Amino acid sequence: MASNMNEPGRAAIEMIGVNKWYGAYHALRDVNLTVMAGERIVVCGPSGSGKSTLIRCVNRLEAHESGDIVVEGVTLTDDLRHIHEVRREVGMVFQHFNLFPHLTILENCTLAPIHVLKMEPRDAEAVAMHYLGKVHISDQADKYPGQLSGGQQQRAAIARALCMNPKIMLFDEPTSALDPEMVKEVLETMVQLAREGMTMVCVTHEMGFARQVADRVIFMDAGAIVEINRPEDFFSAPRHPRARQFLGEIL
Amino acid sequence: MAGSTRGGPGANALYVLQGNIPPRAPPLRRRRLIDLLAGNLFDGWRASLLTIATLLLIALVAPPLLRFLVFDAVWSAPDGAACRAPGAGACWAFIWRKLPYFTYGSYPLDQRWRVDVTLAMGAVLIVWLLWLNAPRRNLAALLFFGAYPIIAFLLLHGAPFIGLPRVASDLWGGIFVSLLVATVGMVVSLPFGVLLALGRRSSLPALSLACAGFIELVRGVPIITVLFMANTMLPLFVPENLAPDRLLRPLIGVALFASAYMAEVVRGGLQAIPNGQFEGALALGLGRWQMQRLVILPQALRAVIPGVVNNFIALFKDTTLVAVVGIFDFLRTVDSARLDPVWAGPTIAATGYAFAAMFYFVFCFAMSRYSLFVERRFSHGR
């Protein structure tokens, strides 16, 4: 990764007083969060606590209803140009991979670079092969997603997101849909990415991963951020009672 | 294998495999004809009874049918006299003699080469387009959807400035008009159907309502009504000198009708695409149209190939209905040729309709087989 995205002290994501409702349900409640460039954030919390909603607001897969979200200096509004600008800078990895089943792995990786960044197909393929090599599936490039294992599919999805050369990567429970023996290979890819200085926001319950790479752990409950802590402190001595209860249940 | 847990530090395990189990070939599955018969046709008394009943039915129907169509058929004759002979079967001589009329309708004799050229060009382009491994298929698409309609119009309708005399559409008829109506219906209905389906799913209420309204209105009336409306009402909407040609009116009617049905088939495919595909595409920064064109529609259309082809087959047969507004399609030419006093006879109508049935069956069956082939081709990696 280029080092310029790692300038210290620059905010990559700023969320100020963000609120969101699903119908009458208050899904995000007064969320305030600043993610610095190069910072690794792990978001955890019980299911339904708003973790996914939080990161999906960052690239506007969900629209927040009040407050401000500024991503790489761009304020997210209904303005489609701003939304596209943000999505170009933000890569996302989903729980269910969301690879395009009708395209080969290579085509999955080159689609957006060719059509969004207007890269020459040959250049896009070179970039794609570079990242597929990084996640160790160059040999699967010409296969279709359905022919790969879950772990390989998730690594392909990570490579696909990286091909857009994003400044920020969002991970929405990337290992939750995987068989246990495949979790490790995906986590290793994410650790490698973290070491290279990528700004990352990961919704995950992988506590080993959180300990290893996270700068801060954010614990959410009922749509609100209830605790922000350093991982070593969060796991050994959580401050908020609901965090203590949650950790007691999953560990 | 109780012995395998004997002794050693692992003695407390309930079972531990010693060595490994090498793979073996599967048992032979016998597929001899006699087994097939015993297993399917004569499997129990009920199956046997059904088999015998079916064989009896075939024995009852097949011989007279074959006698009429093949053995007693009149293959060549100068006029209907031989066909009127008692005991004569199908009068294929009549079909042979009338084939030009069935193909071109009343298109002037000395101009029929124009129809031949149009049909040949269309056939070449369609084969090029449908042959999935053919080189430069995008060029074929460009020619077929872009240049061909214009060339076909100039050839068929005429263009005095390049020396092709005008041939009024009242003279058009036969197989070429049937193919024309069907092709226009198919070529127009797929893109319009896609647009209507996308429109109906749109989050803009006005667009969604307009598309849904159109679809429901057109689907809610019989195609004959649509044809009559196109024939009598279209001219009312435009100035008299701009009134559409009498062949163009049913073409528009058929295209509208087919589009409405196609829209619902395509919408079914769109509904089947999981939300994650939309989110995956949007998160990569694709625009709404790029997402539809590159990610959603390729999957949705592949999923609905059987439905699309079903519509095409139905549409192909529905083209016979344009006869009600006075267009001489293929079936109508068969119907009017059988009244020719030179050929009139007891077997002429049956022969004509048998020929028409075979014609429609060949086209529809070909479409059906082609769609199966395409489905198999696209079924990779699932």
Side-chain angles (χ1 to χ4, degrees):
Chain A
M1 286 292 99
S3 56
N4 62 356
M5 63 175 59
N6 209 355
E7 332 151 20
R10 185 173 60 84
I13 305 169
E14 282 182 279
M15 302 179 102
I16 303 154
V18 171
N19 280 282
K20 156 118 194 124
W21 287 264
Y22 291 120
Y25 178 70
H26 199 170
L28 286 183
R29 307 181 190 177
D30 299 330
V31 168
N32 290 294
L33 175 67
T34 302
V35 179
M36 306 308 282
E39 200 180 13
R40 274 84 56 172
I41 303 282
V42 161
V43 184
C44 62
S47 88
S49 59
K51 317 179 290 284
S52 289
T53 309
L54 174 84
I55 71 164
R56 289 156 60 87
C57 282
V58 174
N59 65 350
R60 195 75 171 185
L61 287 184
E62 304 284 356
H64 61 286
E65 280 151 283
S66 73
D68 286 313
I69 302 181
V70 184
V71 181
E72 292 293 331
V74 180
T75 305
L76 277 171
T77 58
D78 284 330
D79 190 331
L80 277 177
R81 274 168 309 167
H82 291 176
I83 294 173
H84 282 292
E85 216 172 312
V86 165
R87 285 179 181 159
R88 225 173 276 191
E89 307 286 6
V90 178
M92 188 165 199
V93 176
F94 299 87
Q95 182 176 2
H96 296 289
F97 329 138
N98 297 357
L99 292 170
F100 307 134
H102 62 300
L103 300 177
T104 64
I105 297 302
L106 184 63
E107 289 165 343
N108 263 279
C109 291
T110 56
L111 187 76
I114 291 174
H115 292 279
V116 179
L117 304 181
K118 310 294 177 200
M119 277 170 83
E120 287 298 318
R122 193 178 309 180
D123 301 339
E125 272 175 33
V127 170
M129 288 313 294
H130 168 73
Y131 285 112
L132 287 174
K134 253 178 97 156
V135 301
H136 310 296
I137 47 169
S138 322
D139 50 334
Q140 313 288 334
D142 293 324
K143 290 195 182 163
Y144 287 90
Q147 296 167 306
L148 269 56
S149 73
Q152 289 172 324
Q153 289 191 50
Q154 191 59 296
R155 284 184 283 149
I158 294 173
R160 179 177 75 175
L162 291 177
C163 283
M164 290 294 284
N165 198 14
K167 294 203 175 103
I168 302 168
M169 284 285 281
L170 307 174
F171 292 83
D172 191 0
E173 306 211 27
T175 56
S176 303
L178 295 175
D179 288 335
E181 75 267 28
M182 294 171 182
V183 169
K184 193 164 152 262
E185 61 189 52
V186 171
L187 288 180
E188 278 168 1
T189 307
M190 291 167 62
V191 169
Q192 188 191 354
L193 204 56
R195 294 229 170 90
E196 288 165 0
M198 176 66 77
T199 309
M200 291 164 72
V201 181
C202 314
V203 173
T204 181
H205 293 143
E206 294 294 335
M207 296 308 153
F209 172 78
R211 270 180 218 270
Q212 200 177 344
V213 307
D215 297 309
R216 285 187 288 164
V217 173
I218 287 173
F219 177 76
M220 290 186 72
D221 190 38
I225 294 178
V226 294
E227 181 167 343
I228 300 180
N229 213 333
R230 282 174 296 279
E232 57 272 22
D233 298 333
F234 179 75
F235 291 113
S236 55
R239 303 285 296 278
H240 196 279
R242 271 181 284 178
R244 276 202 290 275
Q245 188 196 356
F246 175 72
L247 286 175
E249 277 162 12
I250 67 161
L251 293 180
Chain B
M1 292 296 276
S4 61
T5 59
R6 223 177 324 129
N12 54 351
L14 294 177
Y15 168 75
V16 177
L17 174 68
Q18 304 293 303
N20 55 3
I21 302 173
R24 290 185 296 270
L28 278 180
R29 291 180 197 91
R30 311 241 252 160
R31 273 278 167 246
R32 288 178 313 178
L33 184 61
I34 185 92
D35 298 324
L36 222 61
L37 287 180
N40 293 302
L41 299 179
F42 297 100
D43 184 19
W45 66 269
R46 247 183 292 216
S48 308
L49 210 64
L50 272 175
T51 303
I52 291 166
T54 310
L55 287 175
L56 280 176
L57 197 67
I58 293 173
L60 211 65
V61 173
L65 203 62
L66 280 176
R67 258 204 310 279
F68 178 80
L69 290 176
V70 183
F71 301 120
D72 295 344
V74 179
W75 295 92
S76 63
D79 56 33
C83 298
R84 282 191 288 270
C91 189
W92 298 123
F94 157 75
I95 301 294
W96 185 244
R97 185 57 75 84
K98 292 287 184 185
L99 201 54
Y101 178 60
F102 293 158
T103 311
Y104 307 101
S106 308
Y107 211 84
L109 279 175
D110 59 339
Q111 299 295 326
R112 285 183 179 178
W113 62 269
R114 286 156 54 173
V115 178
D116 293 337
V117 171
T118 311
L119 288 178
M121 280 190 345
V124 167
L125 286 175
I126 286 175
V127 169
W128 188 0
L129 208 57
L130 296 187
W131 179 26
L132 298 181
N133 295 327
R136 308 288 313 274
R137 279 179 66 221
N138 44 0
L139 178 67
L142 203 69
L143 288 175
F144 184 71
F145 296 109
Y148 183 64
I150 299 168
I151 297 172
F153 174 78
L154 291 179
L155 270 170
L156 295 175
H157 181 260
F161 55 93
I162 49 169
L164 293 173
R166 233 185 119 240
V167 177
S169 62
D170 337 27
L171 300 177
W172 301 17
I175 288 172
F176 106 80
V177 163
S178 287
L179 292 178
L180 176 77
V181 177
T183 311
V184 169
M186 291 177 199
V187 168
V188 172
S189 70
L190 196 54
F192 272 75
V194 167
L195 289 177
L196 282 169
L198 291 176
R200 188 167 188 177
R201 281 167 55 92
S202 162
S203 50
L204 304 171
L207 182 61
S208 163
L209 208 65
C211 289
F214 173 83
I215 292 168
E216 296 305 339
L217 187 74
V218 175
R219 283 203 313 169
V221 294
I223 187 170
I224 293 191
T225 315
V226 175
L227 289 172
F228 278 132
M229 279 175 62
N231 204 34
T232 55
M233 288 176 68
L234 268 182
L236 304 180
F237 297 146
V238 290
E240 205 166 323
N241 54 338
L242 282 178
D245 179 90
R246 57 176 278 286
L247 178 59
L248 188 58
R249 293 176 213 165
L251 273 182
I252 293 172
V254 166
L256 291 181
F257 188 79
S259 302
Y261 274 84
M262 194 57 75
E264 287 299 281
V265 170
V266 173
R267 197 168 66 89
L270 291 172
Q271 305 281 51
I273 305 295
N275 224 0
Q277 293 292 309
F278 295 86
E279 293 180 350
L282 290 176
L284 282 170
L286 293 174
R288 300 240 154 224
W289 282 106
Q290 286 179 321
M291 170 181 79
Q292 297 291 359
R293 185 167 58 87
L294 301 167
V295 176
I296 305 305
L297 282 173
Q299 295 184 59
L301 290 179
R302 269 168 217 200
V304 296
I305 290 172
V308 169
V309 173
N310 191 39
N311 268 12
F312 281 175
I313 288 174
L315 171 66
F316 187 69
K317 293 179 295 180
D318 282 350
T319 58
T320 52
L321 294 171
V322 298
V324 301
V325 289
I327 306 300
F328 270 76
D329 78 309
F330 169 54
L331 192 62
R332 180 87 184 269
T333 58
V334 171
D335 211 32
S336 70
R338 76 187 169 84
L339 302 175
D340 181 349
V342 177
W343 289 93
T347 62
I348 292 301
T351 307
Y353 293 137
F355 176 64
M358 284 187 275
F359 169 83
Y360 284 106
F361 178 78
V362 165
F363 273 85
C364 294
F365 190 64
M367 283 192 262
S368 158
R369 298 311 296 181
Y370 179 75
S371 93
L372 281 179
F373 160 74
V374 173
E375 275 173 56
R376 270 198 300 272
R377 265 290 293 266
F378 286 147
S379 64
H380 47 58
R382 281 166 198 275

